Amino acid sequence: MDRVNREELAAFLRSRRALVRPADVGLEAGKRRRTPGLRREEVAQLAGMSVDYYARLEQGRGPRPSRQMLGAIARALRLSDDERSHLHYLTGEPPGPPSGPPRDLRPSVLHLLDRLPDNPVIVLDAKFDVLAWNALAAALLTDFSTLPADERNIVWRFFTDPRAESFLDAEDTWHFARAAVADLRAVAARYPADPGVKRLIGRLLAGSAEFAELWAGHDVTVRRSVRKRLNHPVVGWLELDCDALHVPESDQWVVFYTAAPGSPSYEALRLLKVVGIQDLGVSS
């Protein structure tokens, strides 16, 4: 039985889309923007779905969205906990406990990104999927909005993008590879039945001989705050503190990249804020 309240769902989606500014999700507003919030194609891009699929939902004629689609739409529109629950009820899918690493973002975490425009900040779920980012993170790392949903993953990009080695120095490359694999093994133990975790590990084992070799070592650890040297194609080498703060109730990580005030890297971040989004290669 189809229990989707299509008229209410369409109106709700349109109203929430109008409230999200492009800058809230790391997008450039542009000079010809007429809509007060995001465009439909931008929501679709952020949610990893086709523009036609999302447009039909807003027109009240779309199919019944799956739980996965609802989660993706909620993240793209930056819905609050109450709004996310309302979205589920409108589609006849009452919200339930997560079966794997939670992907829904707390509004307070999203507001934190808004309040830190001078520092690159990203939010990761337990398996390193990038759930949110600010404009400076897009400029420093990559414009995640242009990537398919299944490629917005830090570990996947590190092990499969040939440009990864040029983005980190040799020592950081060595440490990140081992730490990421060890952390992902711990995640696999915490969420043994989650298909997303299994799929990511399977893709990595098939796509990277280096990952497969490290995975065979069975090392286990959790991510820590570190200092990194990143080679940006526009502003050059930066020495940044990479602080990863854990959100225990959602098993997510808020990662901040900061530089000492007055340092060359601090000035480079200021310049990068002006430069904005480029075709930047891999994230780290």
Side-chain angles (χ1 to χ4, degrees):
M1 179 179 178
D2 191 350
R3 296 171 293 168
V4 181
N5 188 334
R6 286 183 169 78
E7 182 178 351
E8 284 294 323
L9 174 63
F12 181 66
L13 292 176
R14 292 194 301 269
S15 70
R16 297 309 93 182
R17 175 167 61 85
L19 297 178
V20 184
R21 300 169 301 169
D24 294 337
V25 291
L27 296 175
E28 297 288 343
K31 297 182 179 179
R32 298 184 178 180
R33 182 175 296 271
R34 296 179 180 177
T35 178
L38 296 180
R39 300 185 179 102
R40 284 175 176 172
E41 58 265 29
E42 291 170 336
V43 176
Q45 186 178 51
L46 291 168
M49 62 184 61
S50 73
V51 178
D52 178 68
Y53 181 95
Y54 181 76
R56 283 186 289 152
L57 291 177
E58 281 204 4
Q59 293 164 355
R61 58 186 184 88
R64 181 180 184 181
S66 65
R67 285 185 176 271
Q68 182 180 6
M69 283 295 189
L70 291 175
I73 292 170
R75 289 191 299 276
L77 295 177
R78 307 189 69 169
L79 300 185
S80 68
D81 292 342
D82 291 339
E83 290 170 332
R84 187 166 53 248
S85 295
H86 183 63
L87 177 65
H88 277 265
Y89 285 119
L90 288 176
T91 60
E93 286 281 358
S99 58
R103 295 177 59 86
D104 295 330
L105 291 161
R106 296 175 61 87
S108 58
V109 173
L110 293 173
H111 295 157
L112 184 62
L113 270 68
D114 296 335
R115 293 194 292 267
L116 294 170
D118 296 328
N119 295 102
V121 186
I122 59 176
V123 183
L124 307 175
D125 74 358
K127 65 179 184 298
F128 291 86
D129 278 358
V130 181
L131 304 181
W133 58 92
N134 64 6
L136 194 51
L140 175 67
L141 303 174
T142 195
D143 183 3
F144 296 102
S145 67
T146 66
L147 301 176
D150 61 355
E151 292 187 14
R152 296 176 193 168
N153 182 280
I154 298 297
V155 180
W156 170 256
R157 291 178 60 76
F158 176 83
F159 280 103
T160 62
D161 194 312
R163 294 168 291 182
E165 291 187 3
S166 65
F167 193 67
L168 290 170
D169 68 12
E171 184 176 357
D172 282 348
T173 297
W174 187 88
H175 283 296
F176 181 81
R178 284 149 184 79
V181 175
D183 188 286
L184 194 56
R185 182 170 286 281
V187 171
R190 290 202 303 277
Y191 302 101
D194 180 64
V197 174
K198 291 180 178 180
R199 183 169 58 252
L200 173 62
I201 293 172
R203 292 175 66 208
L204 284 164
L205 288 171
S208 171
E210 180 185 8
F211 178 88
E213 181 180 354
L214 292 171
W215 186 256
H218 290 268
D219 293 333
V220 176
T221 188
V222 295
R223 65 200 81 175
R224 301 286 191 272
S225 297
V226 296
R227 189 169 181 81
K228 289 187 176 183
R229 293 188 73 242
L230 307 181
N231 186 18
H232 190 276
V234 176
V235 299
W237 285 100
L238 302 95
E239 292 193 6
L240 302 175
D241 290 316
C242 180
D243 294 300
L245 304 183
H246 191 224
V247 185
E249 59 268 29
S250 58
D251 200 8
Q252 293 169 357
W253 295 83
V254 184
V255 183
F256 304 84
Y257 295 85
T258 59
S263 67
S265 295
Y266 179 84
E267 297 302 323
L269 281 182
R270 293 181 62 186
L271 174 60
L272 190 57
K273 185 178 179 181
V274 176
V275 172
I277 297 174
Q278 305 287 331
D279 183 11
L280 302 178
V282 301
S283 8
S284 66

